[in-house]
PDB file of all heavy atoms in Angstrom:
ATOM      1  N   LEU D 263     -13.400   3.687  11.374  1.00 60.00           N
ATOM      2  CA  LEU D 263     -14.718   3.067  11.273  1.00 60.00           C
ATOM      3  C   LEU D 263     -15.580   3.751  10.217  1.00 60.00           C
ATOM      4  O   LEU D 263     -16.447   3.126   9.622  1.00 60.00           O
ATOM      5  CB  LEU D 263     -15.417   3.083  12.627  1.00 60.00           C
ATOM      6  CG  LEU D 263     -14.726   2.254  13.727  1.00 60.00           C
ATOM      7  CD1 LEU D 263     -15.507   2.340  15.032  1.00 60.00           C
ATOM      8  CD2 LEU D 263     -14.575   0.794  13.300  1.00 60.00           C
ATOM      9  N   GLU D 264     -15.333   5.060   9.975  1.00 63.00           N
ATOM     10  CA  GLU D 264     -16.057   5.757   8.921  1.00 63.00           C
ATOM     11  C   GLU D 264     -15.745   5.164   7.557  1.00 63.00           C
ATOM     12  O   GLU D 264     -16.568   5.211   6.636  1.00 63.00           O
ATOM     13  CB  GLU D 264     -15.696   7.244   8.916  1.00 63.00           C
ATOM     14  CG  GLU D 264     -16.249   8.053  10.064  1.00 63.00           C
ATOM     15  CD  GLU D 264     -15.935   9.522   9.870  1.00 63.00           C
ATOM     16  OE1 GLU D 264     -16.638  10.175   9.072  1.00 63.00           O
ATOM     17  OE2 GLU D 264     -14.980  10.000  10.495  1.00 63.00           O
ATOM     18  N   LEU D 265     -14.544   4.643   7.415  1.00 65.00           N
ATOM     19  CA  LEU D 265     -14.123   4.063   6.150  1.00 65.00           C
ATOM     20  C   LEU D 265     -14.501   2.594   6.037  1.00 65.00           C
ATOM     21  O   LEU D 265     -14.161   1.933   5.057  1.00 65.00           O
ATOM     22  CB  LEU D 265     -12.608   4.208   5.983  1.00 65.00           C
ATOM     23  CG  LEU D 265     -12.048   5.635   6.013  1.00 65.00           C
ATOM     24  CD1 LEU D 265     -10.534   5.611   5.917  1.00 65.00           C
ATOM     25  CD2 LEU D 265     -12.637   6.467   4.897  1.00 65.00           C
ATOM     26  N   GLY D 266     -15.189   2.069   7.045  1.00 70.00           N
ATOM     27  CA  GLY D 266     -15.579   0.671   7.030  1.00 70.00           C
ATOM     28  C   GLY D 266     -14.424  -0.269   7.278  1.00 70.00           C
ATOM     29  O   GLY D 266     -14.446  -1.422   6.838  1.00 70.00           O
ATOM     30  N   LEU D 267     -13.383   0.210   7.962  1.00 84.00           N
ATOM     31  CA  LEU D 267     -12.193  -0.598   8.198  1.00 84.00           C
ATOM     32  C   LEU D 267     -12.323  -1.390   9.494  1.00 84.00           C
ATOM     33  O   LEU D 267     -12.989  -0.964  10.432  1.00 84.00           O
ATOM     34  CB  LEU D 267     -10.950   0.298   8.274  1.00 84.00           C
ATOM     35  CG  LEU D 267     -10.713   1.207   7.067  1.00 84.00           C
ATOM     36  CD1 LEU D 267      -9.495   2.086   7.310  1.00 84.00           C
ATOM     37  CD2 LEU D 267     -10.540   0.392   5.797  1.00 84.00           C
ATOM     38  N   GLN D 268     -11.640  -2.529   9.541  1.00 83.00           N
ATOM     39  CA  GLN D 268     -11.621  -3.321  10.762  1.00 83.00           C
ATOM     40  C   GLN D 268     -10.705  -2.647  11.775  1.00 83.00           C
ATOM     41  O   GLN D 268      -9.594  -2.223  11.445  1.00 83.00           O
ATOM     42  CB  GLN D 268     -11.137  -4.735  10.462  1.00 83.00           C
ATOM     43  CG  GLN D 268     -12.089  -5.527   9.568  1.00 83.00           C
ATOM     44  CD  GLN D 268     -11.523  -6.890   9.230  1.00 83.00           C
ATOM     45  OE1 GLN D 268     -10.511  -6.988   8.550  1.00 83.00           O
ATOM     46  NE2 GLN D 268     -12.169  -7.939   9.706  1.00 83.00           N
ATOM     47  N   ALA D 269     -11.161  -2.553  13.012  1.00 87.00           N
ATOM     48  CA  ALA D 269     -10.422  -1.813  14.028  1.00 87.00           C
ATOM     49  C   ALA D 269      -9.147  -2.525  14.451  1.00 87.00           C
ATOM     50  O   ALA D 269      -8.190  -1.873  14.875  1.00 87.00           O
ATOM     51  CB  ALA D 269     -11.313  -1.561  15.246  1.00 87.00           C
ATOM     52  N   ASP D 270      -9.126  -3.849  14.356  1.00 91.00           N
ATOM     53  CA  ASP D 270      -8.002  -4.611  14.918  1.00 91.00           C
ATOM     54  C   ASP D 270      -7.023  -5.142  13.885  1.00 91.00           C
ATOM     55  O   ASP D 270      -6.090  -5.853  14.231  1.00 91.00           O
ATOM     56  CB  ASP D 270      -8.532  -5.773  15.751  1.00 91.00           C
ATOM     57  CG  ASP D 270      -9.319  -6.781  14.921  1.00 91.00           C
ATOM     58  OD1 ASP D 270      -9.730  -6.429  13.790  1.00 91.00           O
ATOM     59  OD2 ASP D 270      -9.534  -7.913  15.402  1.00 91.00           O
ATOM     60  N   ARG D 271      -7.185  -4.797  12.609  1.00 91.00           N
ATOM     61  CA  ARG D 271      -6.278  -5.330  11.595  1.00 91.00           C
ATOM     62  C   ARG D 271      -6.314  -4.476  10.333  1.00 91.00           C
ATOM     63  O   ARG D 271      -7.287  -3.757  10.072  1.00 91.00           O
ATOM     64  CB  ARG D 271      -6.623  -6.772  11.253  1.00 91.00           C
ATOM     65  CG  ARG D 271      -7.957  -6.962  10.531  1.00 91.00           C
ATOM     66  CD  ARG D 271      -8.320  -8.424  10.402  1.00 91.00           C
ATOM     67  NE  ARG D 271      -8.479  -9.041  11.713  1.00 91.00           N
ATOM     68  CZ  ARG D 271      -7.799 -10.120  12.109  1.00 91.00           C
ATOM     69  NH1 ARG D 271      -6.923 -10.680  11.307  1.00 91.00           N
ATOM     70  NH2 ARG D 271      -8.009 -10.626  13.313  1.00 91.00           N
ATOM     71  N   MET D 272      -5.247  -4.559   9.554  1.00 94.00           N
ATOM     72  CA  MET D 272      -5.208  -3.944   8.230  1.00 94.00           C
ATOM     73  C   MET D 272      -5.159  -5.056   7.201  1.00 94.00           C
ATOM     74  O   MET D 272      -4.353  -5.985   7.318  1.00 94.00           O
ATOM     75  CB  MET D 272      -3.982  -3.040   8.073  1.00 94.00           C
ATOM     76  CG  MET D 272      -4.072  -1.723   8.815  1.00 94.00           C
ATOM     77  SD  MET D 272      -2.569  -0.704   8.603  1.00 94.00           S
ATOM     78  CE  MET D 272      -2.695  -0.235   6.871  1.00 94.00           C
ATOM     79  N   SER D 273      -6.005  -4.967   6.210  1.00 93.00           N
ATOM     80  CA  SER D 273      -5.995  -5.958   5.140  1.00 93.00           C
ATOM     81  C   SER D 273      -4.853  -5.668   4.172  1.00 93.00           C
ATOM     82  O   SER D 273      -4.289  -4.571   4.140  1.00 93.00           O
ATOM     83  CB  SER D 273      -7.323  -5.940   4.384  1.00 93.00           C
ATOM     84  OG  SER D 273      -7.445  -4.732   3.641  1.00 93.00           O
ATOM     85  N   GLU D 274      -4.517  -6.665   3.369  1.00 94.00           N
ATOM     86  CA  GLU D 274      -3.487  -6.476   2.346  1.00 94.00           C
ATOM     87  C   GLU D 274      -3.887  -5.386   1.371  1.00 94.00           C
ATOM     88  O   GLU D 274      -3.052  -4.585   0.921  1.00 94.00           O
ATOM     89  CB  GLU D 274      -3.258  -7.795   1.613  1.00 94.00           C
ATOM     90  CG  GLU D 274      -2.136  -7.766   0.584  1.00 94.00           C
ATOM     91  CD  GLU D 274      -1.920  -9.116  -0.051  1.00 94.00           C
ATOM     92  OE1 GLU D 274      -1.496 -10.048   0.669  1.00 94.00           O
ATOM     93  OE2 GLU D 274      -2.183  -9.249  -1.269  1.00 94.00           O
ATOM     94  N   ALA D 275      -5.179  -5.320   1.042  1.00 93.00           N
ATOM     95  CA  ALA D 275      -5.664  -4.299   0.121  1.00 93.00           C
ATOM     96  C   ALA D 275      -5.455  -2.900   0.694  1.00 93.00           C
ATOM     97  O   ALA D 275      -5.036  -1.977  -0.020  1.00 93.00           O
ATOM     98  CB  ALA D 275      -7.143  -4.525  -0.186  1.00 93.00           C
ATOM     99  N   GLU D 276      -5.736  -2.729   1.976  1.00 95.00           N
ATOM    100  CA  GLU D 276      -5.550  -1.413   2.597  1.00 95.00           C
ATOM    101  C   GLU D 276      -4.077  -1.014   2.610  1.00 95.00           C
ATOM    102  O   GLU D 276      -3.728   0.130   2.300  1.00 95.00           O
ATOM    103  CB  GLU D 276      -6.106  -1.411   4.022  1.00 95.00           C
ATOM    104  CG  GLU D 276      -5.984  -0.045   4.692  1.00 95.00           C
ATOM    105  CD  GLU D 276      -6.453  -0.022   6.132  1.00 95.00           C
ATOM    106  OE1 GLU D 276      -6.978  -1.043   6.620  1.00 95.00           O
ATOM    107  OE2 GLU D 276      -6.281   1.037   6.775  1.00 95.00           O
ATOM    108  N   VAL D 277      -3.201  -1.956   2.971  1.00 97.00           N
ATOM    109  CA  VAL D 277      -1.770  -1.660   2.983  1.00 97.00           C
ATOM    110  C   VAL D 277      -1.314  -1.227   1.591  1.00 97.00           C
ATOM    111  O   VAL D 277      -0.594  -0.235   1.428  1.00 97.00           O
ATOM    112  CB  VAL D 277      -0.965  -2.884   3.465  1.00 97.00           C
ATOM    113  CG1 VAL D 277       0.535  -2.642   3.303  1.00 97.00           C
ATOM    114  CG2 VAL D 277      -1.284  -3.198   4.926  1.00 97.00           C
ATOM    115  N   ALA D 278      -1.742  -1.949   0.567  1.00 97.00           N
ATOM    116  CA  ALA D 278      -1.315  -1.653  -0.802  1.00 97.00           C
ATOM    117  C   ALA D 278      -1.829  -0.296  -1.273  1.00 97.00           C
ATOM    118  O   ALA D 278      -1.078   0.495  -1.865  1.00 97.00           O
ATOM    119  CB  ALA D 278      -1.797  -2.756  -1.746  1.00 97.00           C
ATOM    120  N   LEU D 279      -3.099  -0.001  -1.027  1.00 96.00           N
ATOM    121  CA  LEU D 279      -3.664   1.267  -1.484  1.00 96.00           C
ATOM    122  C   LEU D 279      -3.050   2.446  -0.747  1.00 96.00           C
ATOM    123  O   LEU D 279      -2.775   3.495  -1.349  1.00 96.00           O
ATOM    124  CB  LEU D 279      -5.182   1.262  -1.323  1.00 96.00           C
ATOM    125  CG  LEU D 279      -5.936   0.369  -2.312  1.00 96.00           C
ATOM    126  CD1 LEU D 279      -7.393   0.218  -1.901  1.00 96.00           C
ATOM    127  CD2 LEU D 279      -5.842   0.935  -3.730  1.00 96.00           C
ATOM    128  N   ARG D 280      -2.814   2.301   0.538  1.00 97.00           N
ATOM    129  CA  ARG D 280      -2.182   3.395   1.298  1.00 97.00           C
ATOM    130  C   ARG D 280      -0.738   3.602   0.839  1.00 97.00           C
ATOM    131  O   ARG D 280      -0.270   4.745   0.763  1.00 97.00           O
ATOM    132  CB  ARG D 280      -2.241   3.107   2.795  1.00 97.00           C
ATOM    133  CG  ARG D 280      -3.652   3.205   3.389  1.00 97.00           C
ATOM    134  CD  ARG D 280      -3.608   3.276   4.898  1.00 97.00           C
ATOM    135  NE  ARG D 280      -4.926   3.236   5.499  1.00 97.00           N
ATOM    136  CZ  ARG D 280      -5.748   4.290   5.615  1.00 97.00           C
ATOM    137  NH1 ARG D 280      -5.366   5.473   5.137  1.00 97.00           N
ATOM    138  NH2 ARG D 280      -6.929   4.168   6.197  1.00 97.00           N
ATOM    139  N   LEU D 281      -0.038   2.524   0.530  1.00 98.00           N
ATOM    140  CA  LEU D 281       1.323   2.664   0.027  1.00 98.00           C
ATOM    141  C   LEU D 281       1.316   3.363  -1.332  1.00 98.00           C
ATOM    142  O   LEU D 281       2.151   4.252  -1.592  1.00 98.00           O
ATOM    143  CB  LEU D 281       1.982   1.290  -0.090  1.00 98.00           C
ATOM    144  CG  LEU D 281       3.412   1.288  -0.652  1.00 98.00           C
ATOM    145  CD1 LEU D 281       4.359   2.060   0.261  1.00 98.00           C
ATOM    146  CD2 LEU D 281       3.908  -0.148  -0.850  1.00 98.00           C
ATOM    147  N   ALA D 282       0.393   2.973  -2.203  1.00 98.00           N
ATOM    148  CA  ALA D 282       0.296   3.616  -3.519  1.00 98.00           C
ATOM    149  C   ALA D 282       0.001   5.105  -3.373  1.00 98.00           C
ATOM    150  O   ALA D 282       0.610   5.946  -4.059  1.00 98.00           O
ATOM    151  CB  ALA D 282      -0.794   2.935  -4.352  1.00 98.00           C
ATOM    152  N   GLU D 283      -0.926   5.456  -2.478  1.00 97.00           N
ATOM    153  CA  GLU D 283      -1.237   6.862  -2.221  1.00 97.00           C
ATOM    154  C   GLU D 283       0.001   7.621  -1.779  1.00 97.00           C
ATOM    155  O   GLU D 283       0.262   8.740  -2.233  1.00 97.00           O
ATOM    156  CB  GLU D 283      -2.294   6.979  -1.122  1.00 97.00           C
ATOM    157  CG  GLU D 283      -3.708   6.703  -1.558  1.00 97.00           C
ATOM    158  CD  GLU D 283      -4.688   7.053  -0.452  1.00 97.00           C
ATOM    159  OE1 GLU D 283      -4.468   6.655   0.704  1.00 97.00           O
ATOM    160  OE2 GLU D 283      -5.672   7.755  -0.743  1.00 97.00           O
ATOM    161  N   PHE D 284       0.750   7.018  -0.866  1.00 97.00           N
ATOM    162  CA  PHE D 284       1.934   7.678  -0.334  1.00 97.00           C
ATOM    163  C   PHE D 284       2.955   7.928  -1.442  1.00 97.00           C
ATOM    164  O   PHE D 284       3.505   9.029  -1.549  1.00 97.00           O
ATOM    165  CB  PHE D 284       2.555   6.831   0.773  1.00 97.00           C
ATOM    166  CG  PHE D 284       3.845   7.392   1.313  1.00 97.00           C
ATOM    167  CD1 PHE D 284       3.835   8.415   2.254  1.00 97.00           C
ATOM    168  CD2 PHE D 284       5.070   6.905   0.874  1.00 97.00           C
ATOM    169  CE1 PHE D 284       5.022   8.947   2.734  1.00 97.00           C
ATOM    170  CE2 PHE D 284       6.265   7.434   1.349  1.00 97.00           C
ATOM    171  CZ  PHE D 284       6.244   8.456   2.290  1.00 97.00           C
ATOM    172  N   ILE D 285       3.229   6.920  -2.260  1.00 98.00           N
ATOM    173  CA  ILE D 285       4.216   7.085  -3.323  1.00 98.00           C
ATOM    174  C   ILE D 285       3.779   8.181  -4.294  1.00 98.00           C
ATOM    175  O   ILE D 285       4.578   9.029  -4.705  1.00 98.00           O
ATOM    176  CB  ILE D 285       4.434   5.750  -4.064  1.00 98.00           C
ATOM    177  CG1 ILE D 285       5.083   4.723  -3.128  1.00 98.00           C
ATOM    178  CG2 ILE D 285       5.314   5.958  -5.302  1.00 98.00           C
ATOM    179  CD1 ILE D 285       5.164   3.324  -3.703  1.00 98.00           C
ATOM    180  N   LEU D 286       2.488   8.187  -4.650  1.00 98.00           N
ATOM    181  CA  LEU D 286       1.992   9.198  -5.581  1.00 98.00           C
ATOM    182  C   LEU D 286       2.023  10.602  -4.989  1.00 98.00           C
ATOM    183  O   LEU D 286       1.998  11.592  -5.730  1.00 98.00           O
ATOM    184  CB  LEU D 286       0.565   8.852  -6.026  1.00 98.00           C
ATOM    185  CG  LEU D 286       0.426   7.629  -6.936  1.00 98.00           C
ATOM    186  CD1 LEU D 286      -1.042   7.350  -7.224  1.00 98.00           C
ATOM    187  CD2 LEU D 286       1.202   7.813  -8.240  1.00 98.00           C
ATOM    188  N   SER D 287       2.072  10.714  -3.660  1.00 96.00           N
ATOM    189  CA  SER D 287       2.117  12.031  -3.019  1.00 96.00           C
ATOM    190  C   SER D 287       3.517  12.627  -3.004  1.00 96.00           C
ATOM    191  O   SER D 287       3.689  13.814  -2.697  1.00 96.00           O
ATOM    192  CB  SER D 287       1.602  11.933  -1.576  1.00 96.00           C
ATOM    193  OG  SER D 287       2.567  11.332  -0.716  1.00 96.00           O
TER     194      SER D 287
END
Side-chain angles (χ1 to χ4, degrees):
L263 296 180
E264 288 186 79
L265 301 177
L267 305 177
Q268 294 176 294
D270 63 343
R271 68 188 62 236
M272 286 179 70
S273 69
E274 184 177 294
E276 182 183 355
V277 173
L279 288 169
R280 290 195 186 279
L281 178 63
E283 282 189 312
F284 176 81
I285 294 172
L286 290 176
S287 75

